[in-house]
Amino acid sequence: MINVIMHGCNGRMGQVIAGLLANDSQAKIVAGIDVSDHIKNTFPVFSSINEFEGKADVIIDFASSKAVDGLLDYCVRTKTPCVLCTTGLSKEQLQKVEDAAKQTAILKSANMSLGINILMKLIKEAATVLAPAGFDMEIVEKHHNQKLDAPSGTALALADSINEEFDHEYEYVFDRSNRRQARPEKEIGISAVRGGTIVGDHDVIFAGTDEVVTISHTAYSRAIFAKGAIQAAKFLAGKEPGYYDMSDVIDEIIK
């Protein structure tokens, strides 16, 4: 049985993960961390991770970027692996994540969905064949009307996964309204749609002469991110220090 600390347990994602782990035979939450105490949980909840005096195998983090520094300090001090799901980290915090990974196992991905990470693998393979054949590449992402950032971090990660195959030859274009010219070859267009309660849609379009290939992923609920985080926690528990991501989880599943 894997013992988990849920960092940010009373947030929306923390509660989804808690619900899933309540029925999991392989992992359980031994402590929750949250500054809010408005929810009654079946496990003890502390306002600071430093108040927890027990031992855990792994931490799942879905909290605030403000809490990440203290979390990383705890992980390094106790050598506790961490699935870091909090977004919006500063450059200094991202560097701190890399430094922490030298002391303990840290897993961080732009998107915790197994489906999205499989999509990344598929589009890399598609791009290596289709881009040299003259196909244009576009990414269209759709999210709910409350999402603050655009484009999404996942859309950027998808573009990065393609561009890495070509030594970053492609320029990212987010807005074509101020230019009047034919589409250059070496660019990846990224478009954002915001509306309603769309959880998350991502389409990667390869448009060639007389044919179009579209590879898509649709999220119907936030539970997919929670399931991915749990899968990542089970993978990370007991791992040697290092910087991991969801591609490592998928590689182990494939094996």
Side-chain angles (χ1 to χ4, degrees):
M1 179 67 73
I2 297 172
N3 291 330
V4 178
I5 296 174
M6 184 64 235
H7 192 250
C9 64
N10 287 340
R12 183 179 295 176
M13 287 303 301
Q15 284 296 290
V16 174
I17 291 173
L20 291 172
L21 286 179
N23 300 305
D24 195 304
S25 61
Q26 298 178 330
K28 67 177 181 179
I29 297 178
V30 294
I33 312 298
D34 208 296
V35 294
S36 171
D37 61 357
H38 68 288
I39 295 175
K40 185 176 181 179
N41 294 282
T42 58
F43 45 82
V45 177
F46 304 91
S47 60
S48 168
I49 195 167
N50 293 311
E51 296 175 7
F52 176 64
E53 297 180 351
K55 178 66 177 175
D57 299 302
V58 65
I59 301 167
I60 300 177
D61 163 68
F62 265 107
S64 164
S65 59
K66 296 178 181 179
V68 165
D69 291 295
L71 170 63
L72 292 174
D73 290 340
Y74 175 89
C75 291
V76 170
R77 177 168 59 82
T78 62
K79 307 302 182 192
T80 307
C82 180
V83 178
L84 188 63
C85 304
T86 294
T87 58
L89 304 186
S90 67
K91 290 182 179 179
E92 292 77 15
Q93 287 177 315
L94 291 173
Q95 182 59 56
K96 190 167 185 175
V97 172
E98 292 189 16
D99 293 340
K102 298 173 183 177
Q103 304 294 321
T104 189
I106 304 289
L107 188 149
K108 184 180 182 302
S109 283
N111 189 301
M112 299 307 298
S113 160
L114 290 175
I116 280 289
N117 285 277
I118 284 292
L119 174 64
M120 288 184 183
K121 284 183 171 290
L122 293 175
I123 64 174
K124 280 185 177 183
E125 293 183 16
T128 56
V129 176
L130 299 178
F135 281 66
D136 297 321
M137 297 179 289
E138 297 281 318
I139 297 171
V140 180
E141 58 95 346
K142 307 170 190 175
H143 284 86
H144 53 86
N145 57 22
Q146 299 301 302
K147 185 170 179 60
L148 301 180
D149 57 320
S152 68
T154 299
L156 292 172
L158 291 170
D160 287 344
S161 69
I162 294 173
N163 216 0
E164 287 167 2
E165 298 297 303
F166 301 98
D167 293 326
H168 302 280
E169 293 178 8
Y170 287 80
E171 177 187 0
Y172 298 161
V173 177
F174 307 104
D175 181 12
R176 296 190 176 98
S177 63
N178 293 322
R179 73 183 195 192
R180 296 182 62 82
Q181 66 182 68
R183 185 189 193 281
E185 292 182 2
K186 295 294 185 177
E187 73 176 31
I188 299 175
I190 306 175
S191 303
V193 175
R194 295 290 175 267
T197 59
I198 302 171
V199 175
D201 286 1
H202 292 86
D203 295 331
V204 182
I205 302 165
F206 298 91
T209 302
D210 299 328
E211 61 179 328
V212 175
V213 177
T214 302
I215 306 176
S216 303
H217 178 273
T218 299
Y220 290 104
S221 82
R222 292 179 176 82
I224 65 170
F225 309 118
K227 291 176 182 177
I230 292 171
Q231 191 77 34
K234 293 176 179 178
F235 161 85
L236 200 64
K239 285 290 188 293
E240 294 295 320
Y243 202 152
Y244 302 85
D245 61 26
M246 287 301 289
S247 65
D248 297 306
V249 180
I250 290 174
D251 288 342
E252 184 164 282
I253 293 173
I254 293 173
K255 291 178 184 178

